Amino acid sequence: MSNAFDLRSLSYFVAVAEELNFRRAAEKIFISQPALSYQIMQLEKNLNLHLLERDPRGVTLTEAGQQLLVGARHLLAEAALLQRRLEQLASDVPQRLVMGVVDYVFIPRLPSVIRGLKNDFPGIKLETMDLPFTEQLDALLAGRVDVATMRMPVDHPDLIHRILVEGHWTVVLPKAHPLAKRRTVEMKLLAGEPLIFFSQRINPPLFEWLLERCREAGFEADVVYETAQSRLGPDLVQQGVGLWIAGSYLYPELPKGVVSRPLTGFENTMALGLVWHRQNNSRARQALVEMLTDPLPAPH
């Protein structure tokens, strides 16, 4: 079984295993579907193992395929990290740092930190990659990003994190709404109210989590609008579409006539963190994390 696979064949297999569809996998890695099918058949032949079950409804992994997927992800992540470290050591190759960000999460320090990082590391090529929370972990483990922005807690033996921002769940509502007279709003009081949730398409687990919190409070949520844009939420409230359930870190300010109140009746604390692989010892990565998470100096 010597030379049974290389990194390219493993990356092809991972694409198919994650998509469970040859057409989508081929589009994802920019090769033709017949070429991808041939590569997978060659991999199975070289390994003398059946990795995939194919039928008209799609693709499923065999037991061997499931084991290979775990190992292939690990090898590809290690290879990507090694390549980054070697690039950083090569004097003629600009240092590259990629941070996974979430478009709708406001990180107030980020613009000034980017400028400061480029001043401290003149040769650096700093990039941000906009990814939903649900894709940040895979991007980090695959080596596509050096630092990810993720919901806490993160429990993985190869990952380290530092808290970036802490907050709580709120309901954003018109100032004239009767519930706005309260200092806090119990979740059960939202029964019968038209609600605005974060997009189910972008983050299905979060959407289901919010539905479950409503059920625990004794009602089925009347979701009248879903949005993937935090900037749109307050405007929808202002226009009378509904009440927006959102994390307090999603809106740095609210328009006139719109207020927010903390929600109660469930575990309400939440946190976002910066996460990186424990083998990533890049000085630029360390500086980025410290600039974004260290406490601001007290005003004089």
Side-chain angles (χ1 to χ4, degrees):
M1 199 181 288
S2 62
N3 300 322
F5 56 78
D6 55 21
L7 292 178
R8 183 175 68 171
S9 63
L10 288 181
S11 67
Y12 289 167
F13 170 73
V14 169
V16 175
E18 290 179 343
E19 295 294 331
L20 296 178
N21 181 285
F22 275 87
R23 178 184 58 79
R24 290 198 301 269
E27 292 173 351
K28 181 178 180 180
I29 56 179
F30 304 106
I31 68 170
S32 68
Q33 185 173 334
L36 178 59
S37 297
Y38 175 78
Q39 292 288 342
I40 298 301
M41 286 190 292
Q42 284 298 111
L43 179 61
E44 291 181 313
K45 181 180 177 180
N46 292 342
L47 292 171
N48 195 28
L49 287 169
H50 195 45
L51 302 174
L52 302 170
E53 296 287 354
R54 305 163 176 84
D55 62 48
R57 292 172 296 179
V59 176
T60 56
L61 294 177
T62 64
E63 182 179 353
Q66 292 172 0
Q67 292 190 30
L68 180 60
L69 177 59
V70 173
R73 282 172 167 164
H74 177 73
L75 285 175
L76 291 170
E78 291 293 317
L81 286 171
L82 176 59
Q83 182 178 352
R84 292 279 178 81
R85 289 198 293 269
L86 293 175
E87 285 179 352
Q88 291 165 9
L89 290 173
S91 59
D92 58 337
V93 178
Q95 193 178 44
R96 180 170 173 261
L97 185 67
V98 183
M99 178 180 175
V101 299
V102 184
D103 177 63
Y104 54 84
V105 173
F106 179 69
I107 304 177
R109 291 198 218 178
L110 189 57
S112 61
V113 166
I114 291 174
R115 291 192 297 270
L117 198 64
K118 288 187 175 181
N119 289 335
D120 293 344
F121 299 88
I124 197 168
K125 183 180 180 183
L126 183 65
E127 301 175 10
T128 56
M129 185 181 295
D130 181 19
L131 294 168
F133 282 125
T134 50
E135 297 179 20
Q136 295 263 346
L137 178 60
D138 287 344
L140 185 61
L141 294 177
R144 299 198 304 275
V145 300
D146 296 286
V147 180
T149 307
M150 299 177 63
R151 294 186 188 278
M152 298 290 101
V154 172
D155 184 17
H156 192 287
D158 294 328
L159 301 181
I160 302 173
H161 74 270
R162 283 181 66 172
I163 297 298
L164 174 65
V165 61
E166 294 179 293
H168 54 271
W169 285 102
T170 68
V171 57
V172 180
L173 67 170
K175 190 175 182 179
H177 193 285
L179 292 177
K181 298 176 182 178
R182 297 171 174 264
R183 295 182 62 182
T184 62
V185 175
E186 197 170 355
M187 193 69 164
K188 66 181 182 180
L189 298 178
L190 299 182
E193 296 284 354
L195 299 177
I196 301 166
F197 276 15
F198 189 76
S199 172
Q200 182 178 26
R201 177 180 60 84
I202 298 296
N203 196 335
L206 175 60
F207 189 89
E208 290 300 320
W209 185 87
L210 287 173
L211 289 180
E212 188 59 31
R213 301 292 78 72
C214 292
R215 294 186 186 114
E216 289 176 355
F219 69 96
E220 288 292 331
D222 178 17
V223 182
V224 297
Y225 198 96
E226 299 175 30
T227 179
Q229 302 177 43
S230 60
R231 293 178 293 273
L232 181 59
D235 292 338
L236 293 171
V237 173
Q238 190 178 43
Q239 295 167 21
V241 174
L243 311 187
W244 183 37
I245 297 182
S248 57
Y249 52 69
L250 289 181
Y251 48 88
E253 56 186 23
L254 293 171
K256 185 177 180 180
V258 175
V259 297
S260 69
R261 298 290 182 264
L263 283 169
T264 64
F266 62 98
E267 179 54 49
N268 193 10
T269 57
M270 58 199 315
L272 297 181
L274 297 180
V275 187
W276 63 95
H277 199 285
R278 64 174 60 254
Q279 293 185 2
N280 187 333
N281 296 316
S282 159
R283 289 192 302 115
R285 193 277 306 155
Q286 294 174 10
L288 174 66
V289 171
E290 289 172 2
M291 289 179 184
L292 284 172
T293 60
D294 281 354
L296 292 171
H300 297 293

